[in-house]
Amino acid sequence: MESTSFYTRKPDLEEAYLRYVSHGHTDSFVSESFLWMMNYSRKLNNDPDLCQDFLLQFLDKLPRFLDSFSTRPGSRFTGYLARCMRFDFMNYIRKVKKYEPARCDLPVENFGYKTERTTAWNGALSYALQQIEPVHRIPMKIQCGWPLDLPELRDLCHRHSPEQARGLHQGFLRRIQDQEHWRRQHKHKMSLYFDRLHRGNRGRDYRYIRRKLERERTKNTNTVMSLREISGHLRISKAALHRRVAMGRRALRSALDQMPEQIPEIPGALEAGFLGQPDPCLIYQFSTVGDRQFLILEPIKNLEPVGISLYSQSELCYKLGLSGALAFPLHLFAPGKYLLQTTGQMLRFKLSI
């Protein structure tokens, strides 16, 4: 009933088809009926971009549909074209969903800003941690809340499965976010306390609030992730993890005691993680060396070489096969938006420089 009222409001489509039969010009028919087709496609789906993409490919098939209707007298052209569009739209949706690539937005725009967290990892602590074996360093860093870099994620993938490594890393990042949220809440409570004092509300004693908040801040000495949680992800015993953490702490204390006077420059790791759904296929890391900035990509073990293509808004910048680690010099690219796409895994992610 809804489609009948819709056709009743649009009688021009029948006249446009009769004019097409008389002169045979497809372009004239498209110009007269495009508004009707656009409105009908929007009844099939609310996404305007999807409707426009569908109409672009449907207009290529339109001459075939027009010629087919000439052999079917006795039916209205409006209903016939609506059926053709509906069936072709369903086929188009199945194709789009089947080949829809996974997307991941990466925060390259944060490169120009040096925060306290990034500068701290270019000093003595970062150099001392590099002197420790990864098997002892990784669980210690996870417990303390120190970020992991690409070599450590690679080591996790080699010692365990990529799925286990990504699950551990995602749980670690969630715990870091929870701690940051708690710190923001604590800062907000303290700001309310000082605001009350500043406004002159001295009728009540607000000092107990400050003492309570400071106790909440200092009494929480729990680690970011417990040994039970780490062992659950990596499927190893808590006793083995406890020994590794203890050996890592002793090695860190020894490395700090033997620190040289001049610390060599170490590439800074801003962020590292996994790419690919449902199975991880790439490890990425944003790195800085002085004023230079790089995006490092590396395939995970036991995978076929990955094809990498980097596009700007107007052209293809790079196209190559990735069988080992690859560093894109982001400081050499012009500011703008880029799309990095992989073949085979149907993965693509956007970069804003």
Side-chain angles (χ1 to χ4, degrees):
M1 296 298 294
E2 182 180 358
S3 60
T4 304
S5 61
F6 178 72
Y7 299 148
T8 305
R9 293 194 299 268
K10 300 293 182 181
D12 297 337
L13 194 61
E14 300 289 340
E15 300 176 1
Y17 175 71
L18 294 178
R19 285 191 289 271
Y20 166 77
V21 173
S22 61
H23 54 67
H25 294 162
T26 308
D27 296 339
S28 300
F29 176 81
V30 171
S31 62
E32 296 176 5
S33 61
F34 183 79
L35 182 61
W36 184 93
M37 289 188 289
M38 174 60 73
N39 291 334
Y40 186 76
S41 63
R42 289 181 178 176
K43 291 177 70 69
L44 299 174
N45 193 281
N46 294 327
D47 189 353
D49 296 333
L50 183 66
C51 294
Q52 291 179 5
D53 295 339
F54 161 71
L55 282 181
L56 288 177
Q57 61 90 31
F58 181 77
L59 293 179
D60 296 335
K61 308 174 185 178
L62 187 59
R64 175 163 56 87
F65 293 138
L66 293 174
D67 295 338
S68 299
F69 183 73
S70 61
T71 61
R72 300 178 183 179
S75 59
R76 299 182 73 248
F77 176 77
T78 304
Y80 166 76
L81 185 60
R83 289 194 300 272
C84 293
M85 289 186 64
R86 185 167 59 251
F87 291 134
D88 193 64
F89 184 81
M90 297 304 297
N91 293 331
Y92 178 76
I93 287 295
R94 295 190 193 98
K95 183 179 179 181
V96 169
K97 288 184 177 180
K98 182 178 180 180
Y99 297 103
E100 181 69 22
R103 299 184 181 182
C104 180
D105 293 331
L106 300 180
V108 186
E109 60 271 13
N110 296 334
F111 264 141
Y113 307 93
K114 287 190 175 181
T115 62
E116 297 179 359
R117 179 183 175 186
T118 58
T119 54
W121 289 104
N122 296 330
L125 181 59
S126 177
Y127 178 79
L129 287 171
Q130 296 300 323
Q131 316 305 317
I132 306 174
E133 292 292 331
V135 67
H136 304 145
R137 181 175 72 241
I138 293 174
M140 182 179 61
K141 292 182 69 173
I142 292 177
Q143 272 204 322
C144 296
W146 298 337
L148 303 181
D149 54 15
L150 186 142
E152 292 162 349
L153 296 181
R154 182 201 309 139
D155 185 82
L156 281 175
C157 292
H158 279 258
R159 296 180 184 274
H160 311 277
S161 67
E163 292 76 13
Q164 291 175 339
R166 184 173 64 177
L168 174 63
H169 190 247
Q170 289 178 346
F172 171 72
L173 293 180
R174 284 195 297 267
R175 287 303 182 90
I176 294 294
Q177 292 176 357
D178 293 341
Q179 284 192 350
E180 293 294 334
H181 179 66
W182 182 86
R183 291 191 184 97
R184 288 193 298 267
Q185 284 186 330
H186 180 270
K187 185 177 180 180
H188 177 66
K189 291 179 181 178
M190 294 302 295
S191 65
L192 290 178
Y193 162 73
F194 286 110
D195 180 65
R196 288 169 181 170
L197 290 182
H198 180 71
R199 287 182 301 176
N201 295 339
R202 303 183 183 275
R204 294 180 56 189
D205 185 8
Y206 289 100
R207 288 176 295 179
Y208 80 95
I209 302 178
R210 182 173 185 176
R211 290 194 296 267
K212 179 181 178 181
L213 294 177
E214 289 300 328
R215 284 197 302 268
E216 290 179 359
R217 183 178 183 181
T218 56
K219 74 178 181 180
N220 186 11
T221 58
N222 296 332
T223 56
V224 175
M225 292 190 73
S226 64
L227 294 180
R228 180 187 297 272
E229 293 171 325
I230 300 175
S231 64
H233 285 287
L234 301 183
R235 299 176 186 175
I236 56 180
S237 65
K238 291 194 300 181
L241 283 175
H242 182 75
R243 288 193 299 268
R244 295 178 185 181
V245 171
M247 295 178 66
R249 290 176 178 173
R250 289 196 296 267
L252 178 60
R253 189 179 302 112
S254 176
L256 290 174
D257 293 338
Q258 302 173 6
M259 187 68 59
E261 296 182 0
Q262 187 66 27
I263 301 176
E265 183 180 4
I266 301 176
L270 299 183
E271 182 183 352
F274 294 90
L275 294 175
Q277 290 290 345
D279 299 326
C281 62
L282 289 174
I283 309 174
Y284 76 89
Q285 176 177 298
F286 294 120
S287 298
T288 59
V289 182
D291 295 333
R292 295 173 294 172
Q293 304 160 353
F294 298 90
L295 169 62
I296 303 177
L297 296 174
E298 181 177 320
I300 298 178
K301 64 174 184 177
N302 299 332
L303 289 179
E304 296 294 329
V306 182
I308 295 289
S309 301
L310 181 66
Y311 299 88
S312 67
Q313 291 182 334
S314 59
E315 60 182 356
L316 173 65
C317 300
Y318 288 99
K319 187 174 183 180
L320 59 147
L322 177 63
S323 57
L326 175 70
F328 283 99
L330 299 176
H331 55 281
L332 299 180
F333 291 95
K337 295 184 179 180
Y338 294 84
L339 178 68
L340 199 147
Q341 184 170 344
T342 65
T343 58
Q345 286 80 14
M346 294 300 294
L347 172 70
R348 64 180 184 180
F349 50 96
K350 299 175 183 179
L351 308 175
S352 299
I353 302 176

